[in-house]
Amino acid sequence: MIVDFALYRDGRRTAAPADFSDALDLARAEGNAFLWVGLHEPTEDELSLVTSEFALHPLAVEDAVKAHQRPKLEVYTGSLFVVLKPVVYDDAADTVTTGELMLFLGDSFVVTVRHGEGSPLAGVRARLEEDPELLRRGPTAVLYAVGDAVADQYTEVAARLQDDLDELETEVFAPLGADNRNIAMRIYGFKRQVVEFRRATVPLADPVARLAGAPLPFVDDSARPFFRDVGDHLARANEAVEALDRLLTDILSAHLAQMGVQQNDDMRKISAWAAMAAVPTMIAGIYGMNFAHMPELRQPWGYPAALLLMGGVVLGLHRWFKRRGWL
């Protein structure tokens, strides 16, 4: 569906003809104007009208309809196609969700296609309309503002994930009496979120570098410093993601080592109690063999002596295991 459709003249929103073709002809005729069309999860039929009016490349249109694309930048005849993956943090579930945002840039037009939630487009359009000086740069200003907003989202989400990781780290290194049964599952779940985050941030580095480097069609050359700034924000986000991934790996290794130590400690305790139980069992077994000639069988002090022997050996073993830290 078409979310918004506007004509901008000299950095300000103005009335536009209802027909795309007429509006685009007007923007091209004036020279200092451009058309911005915003779409949300369009079908092939809904996008076909925009495709025919703006002469978009069919391969890019197919990507825009089907979504599930990696961040990329493609140059086609008549348009520039850019794919971004916005990332949002769900406070209720403490999880990361990703969407998709596609931009078609051409001669005096920009078409944005949004899939999923978390798109910053509404806020970007509002901020740009409050900054006519930036909006005068045309479609390049829209591309820069959207890229900058997405990179800022990455930084914010990385900070939220760092807070969650700090809490998880505290639980992992809590005293052994704490409940650690589901921590490994939580670490793996956290790692999957970081992997999903990396799929959005890491591939975007190359398109941003191209925008900040060599000249590209339909991109204002004077905007390269702005895209370098976006690249700096993206680099910080990527560094944060890499740090999260390394810390998660270290925490998982530490947790598995901790569980191994705890299991060894449990085995020592079980072995110690088994050794203490074996001594009276052995003594009772010897005196229960019912041979005719066994020492102390006829003595009145034989039974209490056997009990004292059992208790003494068990007590000695208990004190010895205690000193060695087995109990």
Side-chain angles (χ1 to χ4, degrees):
M1 60 177 293
I2 298 177
V3 178
D4 204 348
F5 166 55
L7 177 66
Y8 295 90
R9 290 188 180 96
D10 197 27
R12 298 187 182 278
R13 184 167 183 156
T14 60
D19 183 75
F20 285 164
S21 180
D22 294 340
L24 184 58
D25 290 341
L26 179 61
R28 286 172 173 169
E30 295 191 2
N32 62 343
F34 73 96
L35 199 63
W36 184 353
V37 181
L39 304 172
H40 177 233
E41 298 183 356
T43 63
E44 292 185 13
D45 294 336
E46 291 172 338
L47 197 56
S48 62
L49 175 61
V50 178
T51 302
S52 60
E53 294 294 345
F54 296 103
L56 304 180
H57 196 279
L59 291 178
V61 172
E62 182 181 359
D63 290 343
V65 172
K66 294 183 177 180
H68 304 294
Q69 303 296 316
R70 296 176 73 251
K72 63 180 181 178
L73 186 153
E74 299 286 349
V75 179
Y76 295 105
T77 302
S79 65
L80 187 74
F81 181 58
V82 181
V83 179
L84 306 172
K85 293 183 74 70
V87 175
V88 293
Y89 182 87
D90 187 350
D91 291 309
D94 291 336
T95 57
V96 170
T97 57
T98 59
E100 287 193 42
L101 186 57
M102 292 98 166
L103 295 92
F104 296 88
L105 273 73
D107 180 16
S108 301
F109 74 86
V110 57
V111 178
T112 54
V113 181
R114 174 169 63 91
H115 290 268
E117 302 299 326
S119 170
L121 279 179
V124 167
R125 190 185 285 262
R127 287 194 298 273
L128 282 174
E129 291 179 353
E130 294 175 356
D131 189 358
E133 186 64 29
L134 179 59
L135 201 53
R136 287 190 184 98
R137 297 178 180 271
T140 301
V142 177
L143 178 59
Y144 159 69
V146 172
D148 187 57
V150 169
D152 288 343
Q153 277 187 331
Y154 292 161
T155 304
E156 294 172 4
V157 171
R160 302 293 294 276
L161 287 176
Q162 183 62 56
D163 293 339
D164 288 348
L165 184 60
D166 292 340
E167 295 178 4
L168 182 60
E169 187 176 17
T170 300
E171 293 183 27
V172 169
F173 294 104
L176 295 179
D179 184 10
N180 293 327
R181 290 172 295 180
N182 297 322
I183 286 183
M185 185 181 299
R186 290 183 57 193
I187 293 175
Y188 277 114
F190 204 127
K191 200 168 182 64
R192 287 182 63 87
Q193 293 184 54
V194 172
V195 169
E196 186 69 19
F197 195 8
R198 291 184 63 182
R199 288 173 181 167
T201 62
V202 174
L204 187 57
D206 179 64
V208 172
R210 291 176 63 188
L211 289 167
L216 290 171
F218 313 114
V219 177
D220 189 351
D221 290 343
S222 63
R224 292 180 193 171
F226 295 93
F227 288 113
R228 283 198 292 269
D229 180 67
V230 174
D232 291 340
H233 294 178
L234 181 62
R236 287 198 295 269
N238 281 328
E239 289 172 0
V241 173
E242 294 294 336
L244 286 170
D245 189 52
R246 288 195 300 269
L247 283 173
L248 275 171
T249 301
D250 293 341
I251 289 174
L252 179 60
S253 299
H255 175 65
L256 295 177
Q258 186 183 43
M259 296 304 296
V261 170
Q262 185 174 358
Q263 290 174 356
N264 290 337
D265 186 60
D266 292 340
M267 288 302 299
R268 285 198 301 266
K269 290 180 180 180
I270 293 172
S271 299
W273 286 109
M276 289 186 290
V279 171
T281 301
M282 181 188 67
I283 296 174
I286 292 174
Y287 281 92
M289 289 188 293
N290 296 323
F291 288 110
H293 303 286
M294 291 186 67
E296 293 87 33
L297 287 181
R298 304 290 183 179
Q299 302 296 330
W301 46 265
Y303 178 67
L307 292 180
L308 287 174
L309 178 61
M310 293 179 191
V313 174
V314 170
L315 181 60
L317 287 173
H318 185 275
R319 294 184 63 182
W320 185 70
F321 287 138
K322 198 77 172 177
R323 284 197 303 268
R324 298 199 37 117
W326 285 34
L327 293 175

